Amino acid sequence: IKKIGVLTSGGDSPGMNAAIRAAVRAGFYYNLEMYGIYRGYEGMILNDIKKLDSKNITHVLERGGTFLKSARSEEFRTPEGRKKAYDNLRSHGIDALVVIGGDGSLTGAHLFYKEFGIPAIGLPGTIDNDLSGTDSTIGFDTACNTAIQAIDKIRDTATSHDRLFFVEVMGRDAGFIAINAGIGSAAAAILIPEKKMPIEDLVEKLKIRTKAKKSSNIVIVAEGGKSGGAAEIAEKVKKHLPYYDIKVTILGHLQRGGAPSSFDRLLASKLGVAAIEGLLQGKYDVMAGLINNRVVFTPIKKAIVDDKTVDDDDFRVAKILST
Ligand code: F6P
């Protein structure tokens, strides 16, 4: 391996820049040529590929977003699109890839390896934390911190007005951000896709808390919940608690931005170096993750399978603390 291409794809996450920088720096350390593939797989198809030098990665570690930009590519889903992308890679002589993104992005890397034999290593870059083979994905910690800071602010106004707030957090189909931000902000209840909570139970809980004269109630709702988003749940609850002043806040994309936390900087840096060293050791079609603070390489096919779920113990703790 002499020339490695790096790309970010799918939803951006804080720490992606730190991961790119670490991979590129490690590449230089091992005397490799490093290429930036802009706008993910879309840029690979459009030949938006440039050789990187150390100036490209100066002062990016501390910045949110991804300077390589990101996109979700429909064309890459087709064999013709992938062939175009492969031809462009070869025209630059790129012989290996580091792909930073979520499950869709890693699936792309897996397919590309299978079809063209291009050695590829994935790094888990998503705020959702929904990849197996790593305790935490790059960006998850920052997103939880951002959500908690926002909820703390909502708490101030909720307390001043004795209000009930429903706050919706991101996470796609997973409840990791919700459970983490909910425990960290003393939520009255946390609704996640992994555990069903009937509306009647939620209403009962809120009634008990009202009797206990709690001055504010904040319910965290994961966006992927089966009973609907925060607005729908609030609507249903209002029918049972008409006397309550209910408000809804959807945190949305603010959870994706901002400077990465110290944890995400360290995680991204370790995994960026691991990606290059892994490729040089012949570890292909795998995702580098961190488990118990040790780098672990997991086959991409295994990492993208949805078998990582919110820890039951976290759910138990949340329940105890919200009574
Ligand atoms: O996967 C990251 C994520 O932010 C999810 O939490 C969310 O469901 C989705 O991306 C939003 O995607 P988009 O930015 O394309 O609307």
Coordinates of all heavy atoms in Angstrom, one line a residue, residues 270-303:
K270 N -7.0 8.0 18.2 CA -6.5 6.6 18.4 C -7.0 5.8 17.2 O -6.2 5.0 16.6 CB -7.1 6.0 19.6 CG -6.4 6.4 20.9 CD -7.0 5.6 22.0 CE -6.1 5.7 23.3 NZ -6.3 4.7 24.3
L271 N -8.2 6.0 16.8 CA -8.8 5.2 15.7 C -8.2 5.6 14.3 O -8.0 4.7 13.4 CB -10.3 5.2 15.7 CG -11.0 4.6 16.9 CD1 -12.5 4.6 16.7 CD2 -10.5 3.2 17.2
G272 N -7.9 6.9 14.2 CA -7.3 7.3 12.9 C -5.9 6.6 12.7 O -5.6 6.2 11.6
V273 N -5.1 6.6 13.8 CA -3.8 5.9 13.7 C -4.0 4.4 13.4 O -3.4 3.8 12.6 CB -3.0 6.2 15.0 CG1 -1.7 5.3 15.0 CG2 -2.6 7.7 15.1
A274 N -5.0 3.8 14.2 CA -5.3 2.4 14.0 C -5.7 2.0 12.6 O -5.3 1.0 12.1 CB -6.4 2.0 15.0
A275 N -6.4 2.9 11.9 CA -6.8 2.6 10.6 C -5.6 2.4 9.7 O -5.6 1.5 8.9 CB -7.7 3.8 10.0
I276 N -4.6 3.3 9.8 CA -3.5 3.2 8.9 C -2.6 2.0 9.3 O -2.2 1.2 8.4 CB -2.6 4.5 9.0 CG1 -3.5 5.7 8.5 CG2 -1.3 4.4 8.1 CD1 -4.1 5.6 7.1
E277 N -2.4 1.8 10.6 CA -1.6 0.7 11.0 C -2.3 -0.6 10.6 O -1.7 -1.6 10.2 CB -1.3 0.8 12.5 CG -0.4 2.0 12.8 CD 0.1 2.1 14.2 OE1 -0.7 1.6 15.1 OE2 1.1 2.7 14.4
G278 N -3.6 -0.7 10.8 CA -4.4 -1.8 10.4 C -4.2 -2.2 8.9 O -4.0 -3.3 8.6
L279 N -4.3 -1.2 8.1 CA -4.2 -1.4 6.6 C -2.8 -2.0 6.3 O -2.6 -2.9 5.6 CB -4.4 -0.1 5.8 CG -5.9 0.3 5.7 CD1 -5.9 1.7 5.0 CD2 -6.6 -0.7 4.8
L280 N -1.8 -1.4 7.0 CA -0.4 -1.8 6.7 C -0.2 -3.2 7.2 O 0.7 -3.9 6.7 CB 0.6 -0.8 7.4 CG 0.6 0.6 6.7 CD1 1.6 1.5 7.5 CD2 1.0 0.5 5.2
Q281 N -1.0 -3.6 8.2 CA -0.9 -5.0 8.7 C -1.8 -6.0 8.0 O -1.9 -7.1 8.4 CB -1.2 -5.1 10.2 CG -0.3 -4.4 11.1 CD -0.9 -4.0 12.5 OE1 -2.0 -4.4 12.8 NE2 -0.2 -3.1 13.2
G282 N -2.4 -5.5 6.9 CA -3.3 -6.4 6.1 C -4.6 -6.7 6.7 O -5.3 -7.7 6.4
K283 N -5.1 -5.7 7.5 CA -6.5 -5.9 8.1 C -7.5 -5.2 7.2 O -7.5 -4.0 7.2 CB -6.5 -5.4 9.5 CG -5.6 -6.1 10.5 CD -6.0 -5.8 11.9 CE -5.3 -6.7 12.9 NZ -3.8 -6.4 13.1
Y284 N -8.2 -5.9 6.4 CA -9.1 -5.3 5.4 C -10.5 -5.6 5.7 O -10.8 -6.7 6.3 CB -8.8 -5.8 4.0 CG -7.3 -5.6 3.6 CD1 -6.8 -6.5 2.6 CD2 -6.5 -4.7 4.1 CE1 -5.5 -6.3 2.2 CE2 -5.2 -4.5 3.7 CZ -4.7 -5.4 2.8 OH -3.4 -5.3 2.4
D285 N -11.4 -4.8 5.2 CA -12.9 -5.0 5.4 C -13.3 -5.1 6.9 O -14.1 -5.9 7.2 CB -13.2 -6.3 4.6 CG -14.7 -6.4 4.4 OD1 -15.4 -5.4 4.4 OD2 -15.2 -7.6 4.2
V286 N -12.6 -4.3 7.7 CA -12.9 -4.3 9.1 C -13.1 -2.9 9.6 O -12.8 -1.9 8.9 CB -11.7 -4.9 10.0 CG1 -11.6 -6.4 9.7 CG2 -10.4 -4.1 9.7
M287 N -13.8 -2.7 10.7 CA -13.9 -1.4 11.4 C -13.0 -1.4 12.6 O -13.0 -2.4 13.4 CB -15.4 -1.2 11.8 CG -15.7 0.1 12.4 SD -17.2 0.2 13.3 CE -16.7 -0.4 14.9
A288 N -12.3 -0.3 12.8 CA -11.5 -0.1 14.0 C -12.4 0.5 15.0 O -13.1 1.5 14.8 CB -10.3 0.7 13.7
G289 N -12.4 -0.1 16.2 CA -13.2 0.5 17.3 C -12.4 0.4 18.6 O -11.3 -0.1 18.6
L290 N -13.0 1.0 19.6 CA -12.3 1.0 20.9 C -13.2 0.3 21.9 O -14.3 0.7 22.2 CB -12.0 2.4 21.4 CG -10.8 2.7 22.2 CD1 -9.5 2.3 21.4 CD2 -10.7 4.1 22.7
I291 N -12.7 -0.9 22.5 CA -13.5 -1.6 23.5 C -12.6 -1.7 24.7 O -11.4 -2.1 24.6 CB -13.9 -3.0 23.0 CG1 -14.8 -2.9 21.8 CG2 -14.6 -3.8 24.1 CD1 -15.3 -4.2 21.2
N292 N -13.1 -1.2 25.9 CA -12.3 -1.2 27.1 C -11.0 -0.5 26.9 O -9.9 -0.9 27.3 CB -12.1 -2.6 27.7 CG -13.4 -3.2 28.2 OD1 -14.3 -2.4 28.6 ND2 -13.5 -4.5 28.2
N293 N -11.0 0.6 26.1 CA -9.8 1.4 25.8 C -8.7 0.7 25.0 O -7.6 1.1 25.0 CB -9.2 2.0 27.1 CG -8.6 3.3 26.9 OD1 -9.0 4.0 25.9 ND2 -7.6 3.6 27.6
R294 N -9.1 -0.4 24.3 CA -8.2 -1.1 23.5 C -8.7 -1.1 22.0 O -9.9 -1.3 21.8 CB -8.0 -2.5 23.9 CG -7.1 -2.7 25.2 CD -5.6 -2.6 24.8 NE -4.8 -2.3 26.0 CZ -4.4 -1.0 26.3 NH1 -4.7 0.0 25.6 NH2 -3.7 -0.8 27.3
V295 N -7.8 -0.9 21.1 CA -8.3 -0.9 19.7 C -8.7 -2.4 19.3 O -7.9 -3.3 19.6 CB -7.2 -0.4 18.7 CG1 -7.6 -0.6 17.3 CG2 -6.9 1.1 19.0
V296 N -9.8 -2.5 18.7 CA -10.3 -3.8 18.2 C -10.8 -3.7 16.8 O -11.4 -2.7 16.4 CB -11.5 -4.3 19.1 CG1 -12.1 -5.5 18.6 CG2 -11.1 -4.4 20.6
F297 N -10.4 -4.7 16.0 CA -10.9 -4.7 14.6 C -12.0 -5.7 14.4 O -11.8 -6.8 14.7 CB -9.7 -5.0 13.6 CG -8.6 -4.0 13.6 CD1 -7.5 -4.2 14.4 CD2 -8.7 -2.9 12.8 CE1 -6.5 -3.2 14.4 CE2 -7.7 -1.9 12.8 CZ -6.6 -2.1 13.6
T298 N -13.1 -5.2 13.9 CA -14.3 -6.1 13.8 C -14.7 -6.1 12.3 O -14.7 -5.0 11.7 CB -15.5 -5.5 14.6 OG1 -15.1 -5.3 15.9 CG2 -16.7 -6.4 14.5
P299 N -15.0 -7.3 11.8 CA -15.4 -7.3 10.4 C -16.6 -6.3 10.1 O -17.5 -6.3 11.0 CB -15.9 -8.8 10.2 CG -15.2 -9.5 11.2 CD -14.9 -8.6 12.4
I300 N -16.5 -5.6 9.1 CA -17.6 -4.5 8.8 C -18.9 -5.2 8.9 O -19.9 -4.6 9.5 CB -17.3 -3.8 7.5 CG1 -16.1 -2.9 7.6 CG2 -18.5 -3.0 7.1 CD1 -15.7 -2.0 6.4
K301 N -19.1 -6.3 8.3 CA -20.4 -7.0 8.2 C -21.0 -7.2 9.6 O -22.2 -7.1 9.9 CB -20.3 -8.3 7.5 CG -20.7 -8.2 6.1 CD -20.8 -9.5 5.4 CE -22.3 -9.9 5.3 NZ -22.4 -11.1 4.5
K302 N -20.1 -7.4 10.6 CA -20.5 -7.7 12.0 C -20.8 -6.3 12.7 O -21.8 -6.2 13.4 CB -19.4 -8.4 12.7 CG -19.8 -9.1 13.9 CD -18.9 -10.3 14.3 CE -19.3 -10.9 15.6 NZ -18.7 -10.2 16.8
A303 N -20.0 -5.3 12.4 CA -20.1 -4.0 13.0 C -21.5 -3.4 12.7 O -22.0 -2.6 13.5 CB -19.0 -3.1 12.7

